Each structure stands twice: as structure tokens, then as C-alpha cells.
Amino acid sequence: MVIEAKKIKAPNAELQVLHEICLKAIKSQLEAMTMIKEALYKTKISSTAFKAANKEMDEVVKYEGQFVDGIDKYRKKYGI
């Protein structure tokens, strides 16, 4: 998903800013899921690693919220 999302080119500067936020969310989500996988697939589950992955997921939620808020503002601004 990260590779394909990087290929997207926004048609204007306003949407490019939102696209960058979306990319941050996607990259953070990939990182968090990788961390979760590594924490769970060890012989002994690492609660520390799992907690770190959850903290990374908090970043995903933050970026997703920023993205959705930005899209809503963009839609209202242009009556979409």
C-alpha cells in the first residue's frame, strides 16, 4: 500500500499536504503492524514491543484524524 500510495500525485498544493499526511499514516501503520508481528511471533511474546507498537498505532490514529479533518475542510471550502 505504501508503494502504491507514493505513486499518487495530488493535483494541487492543498491536496498534496493532505496526501503527505495520509502517507505518514500509512507508513506508521505498516511500521506498527510489523512491530506487532515481531512481538507476537517470538518464542516469548514481548509486552514491551507490543506496547511500543500500540504507541505507533496512536500515531496512525492522529494522522488519520488530521487527514479526515483536512479533507472535510477542503470539501467545505470548495463546496464538494
Side-chain angles (χ1 to χ4, degrees), residues 9-48:
K9 301 297 177 206
N12 61 50
E14 288 175 287
L15 289 177
Q16 184 61 38
V17 169
L18 295 174
H19 179 63
E20 293 299 324
I21 293 169
C22 183
L23 279 174
K24 286 179 184 179
I26 292 169
K27 289 176 184 178
S28 288
Q29 187 170 29
L30 175 60
E31 179 65 24
M33 296 306 288
T34 301
M35 292 167 71
I36 289 169
K37 179 182 147 195
E38 290 172 0
L40 294 176
Y41 283 86
K42 292 183 178 183
T43 304
K44 182 178 178 190
I45 295 174
S46 171
S47 63
T48 303

Side-chain angles (χ1 to χ4, degrees), residues 54-67:
N54 280 331
K55 188 173 182 177
E56 186 69 27
M57 283 302 290
D58 290 341
E59 289 296 303
V60 174
V61 171
K62 178 183 84 174
Y63 292 135
E64 286 175 343
Q66 290 174 355
F67 177 74

